[in-house]
Amino acid sequence: MFTDTTFRDGHQSLIATRIRTKDILGIIDEVDSLGFQALEVWGGATFDVCVRYLNEDPWERLRLISSKLKNAKAQMLLRGQNLVGYRHYADDVVELFVKKAIENGIQIIRIFDALNDIRNLEKSIEVALKCGAHVQGAISYTVSPVHTIEYYLDYAKQLVERGVHSICIKDMAGLLTPKVAGELVRKLKQKFDLPIEVHSHATAGLGELAYLAAIEAGADILDTAFSPFGMTTSQPAFEPIYYAWSEYKPLPEIDWKRVDKIVKYLTEVRKKYEEYDVKMYTIDHRIITSQVPGGMYSNLVKQLAEQKMLNKLDAVLEEIPRVRKDLGYPPLVTPTSQIVGVQAVLNVLTGERYLKVTREVKDYVRGLYGRPPAPIDPELVKKILGDEKPIEGRPADYIEPELEKRKKEIGLLAETDEDLLIYAILGEVGRQYLKKRYDEKIRVDWSLVNEYEGGYPV
């Protein structure tokens, strides 16, 4: 009935994904014992943050967590052809990554594309099915003139035709209203004989209302996080949603003393990461118009604060929907949330819209991220690309195979396929991490030799 998101989206939305593996392992067995159908513990920003900021091996995190799970399935969030990075990767990288994710413990893969371009999901769905994982196709939900109920039903049909086992309505900005939630869940249930899961955020105060409507419409699974890592920019809190849902249908009995233990532990864990905390103490109605998702909002606040420009937040939130409209109403989820967000910041700081244009926006306009939901403003295309024409085919078809090239570049620093993928996905950040780990290993090896030989290396 429930997927717990505390150890992925919960801390990604509230403390910039900073929870360390040891803090997850300190309570994961207690969470696992409560009867969740899945625990979302990997994917999203966790891969990048482990390497870039925490000096942790994301693959080792996955292995350690999955080894602890006796009841719930280990679930991850995959960005289709973007994997867990910020650009499209070649098909050979996608194939190896999906294969290794499953080998290292992932049982459910929730796959989405920021533009709802089915072409960007086909390879990852194909490989995940072949490797025996439960494949969940996710609809990136947003609000715009082109994003109608019929639009979402058509996209769900495309997912079902590719063989997904379940469908998730992924409402990353918390914009799903009770009326739309009920109608969309009801029609998905009528049209497709598959489990329907609903994922929302409480940022704008709509998440809990949408969940109630989804329950009444027959949703099979809801995403929640324990209250210390729930609400505001995260998912609705597990405790009240469980209590409310139990009035509609019989749910498995829950050990509330164990819930108390988990909540107290996680409350202390969140305090440890206070410097990264979004510290959002109430809903933000501005999200209804800016449509900024939880993780994007927390990172936006942090980045503006670091630049001592937090006073520009309101202006940026007003600019984001304008940029989004210009670019054809892309849903705001990684990587399009970063693409739109950074450009909005530039537009505000420079004082002139599109005076400076990021490389990512240029690639987006070229079609390298996929097909926008609506046509991009023609004048903007001309301003950004000049006489260059956007591509029309599947974006990944324009990318040469990468793995052999990456193997040669990284050399001995990559001892395993998992290491190779860290470099292939994260580039220089991944290389620096692997080099540091290699240097530390060499120092340890020589210290052992020196001790054995009385101080003289062989």
Side-chain angles (χ1 to χ4, degrees):
M1 301 296 177
F2 289 90
T3 294
D4 176 71
T5 62
T6 302
F7 304 113
R8 206 288 297 173
D9 205 355
H11 74 112
Q12 180 172 324
S13 295
L14 293 177
I15 57 168
T17 333
R18 287 310 200 275
I19 292 186
R20 292 186 172 275
T21 301
K22 64 179 181 180
D23 289 325
I24 297 174
L25 295 176
I27 200 66
I28 195 75
D29 53 343
E30 297 284 355
V31 175
D32 179 54
S33 70
L34 285 178
F36 291 99
Q37 69 93 26
L39 304 183
E40 187 183 78
V41 295
W42 210 62
T46 61
F47 192 93
D48 180 15
V49 172
C50 273
V51 174
R52 189 183 300 269
Y53 299 115
L54 304 182
N55 194 35
E56 291 188 355
D57 184 340
W59 298 101
E60 180 66 9
R61 170 180 288 200
L62 173 56
R63 288 190 291 269
L64 289 170
I65 291 174
S66 60
S67 70
K68 292 270 192 178
L69 302 186
K70 310 302 180 188
N71 302 296
K73 291 180 170 62
Q75 177 174 306
M76 76 165 295
L77 180 69
L78 189 80
R79 301 168 186 153
Q81 206 75 26
N82 277 197
L83 297 176
V84 288
Y86 304 99
R87 66 173 178 88
H88 274 17
Y89 299 93
D91 284 342
D92 59 344
V93 179
V94 173
E95 290 179 17
L96 184 61
F97 183 88
V98 173
K99 180 171 178 281
K100 287 297 173 181
I102 295 167
E103 285 182 6
N104 281 275
I106 288 298
Q107 296 166 283
I108 301 175
I109 300 185
R110 176 179 293 171
I111 306 176
F112 78 97
D113 176 62
L115 298 176
N116 290 323
D117 187 338
I118 195 66
R119 302 172 303 171
N120 292 335
L121 302 182
E122 288 171 335
K123 178 56 67 175
S124 50
I125 289 175
E126 171 196 324
V127 177
L129 289 172
K130 190 183 300 182
C131 292
H134 176 107
V135 181
Q136 183 175 85
I139 299 167
S140 294
Y141 179 81
T142 190
V143 177
S144 84
V146 299
H147 289 93
T148 62
I149 293 290
E150 289 69 29
Y151 170 95
Y152 291 123
L153 292 174
D154 178 69
Y155 185 61
K157 180 174 180 287
Q158 296 176 59
L159 291 169
V160 172
E161 288 172 347
R162 268 70 179 180
V164 301
H165 299 110
S166 61
I167 295 172
C168 175
I169 302 168
K170 180 177 168 57
D171 173 29
M172 53 279 173
L175 298 171
L176 193 62
T177 62
K179 182 177 185 295
V180 176
E183 185 178 357
L184 186 51
V185 169
R186 194 173 296 110
K187 289 189 175 181
L188 285 169
K189 294 289 290 181
Q190 290 170 354
K191 205 169 180 65
F192 308 109
D193 186 24
L194 293 178
I196 304 300
E197 185 158 355
V198 183
H199 171 100
S200 188
H201 290 249
T203 324
L206 295 172
E208 291 85 353
L209 299 172
Y211 276 13
L212 180 59
I215 288 169
E216 293 180 324
D220 299 284
I221 308 165
L222 297 176
D223 284 10
T224 56
F226 283 99
S227 51
F229 283 96
M231 300 174 291
T232 60
T233 55
S234 179
Q235 279 69 65
F238 165 69
E239 302 95 305
I241 298 297
Y242 170 89
Y243 187 76
W245 202 354
S246 67
E247 292 188 334
Y248 287 83
K249 66 189 299 183
L251 297 180
E253 287 293 326
I254 197 160
D255 184 345
W256 285 103
K257 288 185 178 179
R258 183 160 283 163
V259 171
D260 289 344
K261 179 180 179 181
I262 293 167
V263 168
K264 288 174 182 175
Y265 177 90
L266 292 173
T267 299
E268 294 305 310
V269 166
R270 186 168 175 180
K271 290 177 183 176
K272 290 173 61 176
Y273 301 94
E274 185 179 8
E275 64 181 299
Y276 305 105
D277 202 309
V278 68
K279 295 180 181 175
M280 184 177 176
Y281 302 114
T282 184
I283 67 162
D284 192 334
H285 68 276
R286 295 172 299 178
I287 304 307
I288 296 172
T289 53
S290 70
Q291 302 191 3
V292 174
M296 179 184 179
Y297 184 89
S298 60
N299 282 314
L300 186 63
V301 169
K302 183 174 184 296
Q303 289 160 10
L304 287 174
E306 287 174 348
Q307 299 297 320
K308 302 189 187 310
M309 294 180 178
L310 200 52
N311 62 313
K312 301 288 187 180
L313 179 60
D314 284 349
V316 171
L317 289 177
E318 291 174 4
E319 177 65 8
I320 285 172
R322 289 195 286 262
V323 173
R324 180 171 171 264
K325 179 182 178 182
D326 293 341
L327 296 180
Y329 295 107
L332 293 181
V333 63
T334 303
T336 52
S337 54
Q338 286 82 1
I339 292 171
V340 171
V342 172
Q343 188 61 52
V345 170
L346 280 178
N347 289 354
V348 168
L349 297 186
T350 60
E352 181 180 337
R353 305 186 76 234
Y354 305 106
L355 176 65
K356 292 183 179 179
V357 177
T358 66
R359 179 174 60 82
E360 288 76 16
V361 168
K362 290 179 182 177
D363 286 346
Y364 175 91
V365 175
R366 288 186 180 109
L368 297 180
Y369 285 92
R371 185 185 298 114
I376 301 173
D377 182 339
E379 292 185 8
L380 184 59
V381 174
K382 181 71 174 176
K383 181 174 184 177
I384 292 175
L385 297 186
D387 295 329
E388 182 184 349
K389 299 296 182 185
I391 67 169
E392 295 183 357
R394 173 177 175 261
D397 290 340
Y398 293 81
I399 307 174
E400 294 292 330
E402 296 183 61
L403 284 178
E404 287 305 316
K405 180 181 178 182
R406 302 296 173 232
K407 278 183 186 178
K408 291 177 182 177
E409 290 172 350
I410 199 64
L412 294 174
L413 295 183
E415 298 178 0
T416 64
D417 284 341
E418 287 82 354
D419 291 346
L420 174 61
L421 286 163
I422 288 175
Y423 173 63
I425 292 170
L426 298 178
E428 181 60 21
V429 170
R431 191 186 74 82
Q432 290 295 333
Y433 166 79
L434 294 170
K435 183 177 186 303
K436 181 179 180 182
R437 193 181 67 181
Y438 180 82
D439 290 344
E440 289 172 351
K441 180 180 178 182
I442 292 297
R443 281 195 294 274
V444 170
D445 288 348
W446 273 108
S447 68
L448 293 173
V449 170
N450 288 339
E451 181 181 344
Y452 182 75
E453 295 293 332
Y456 295 96
V458 176

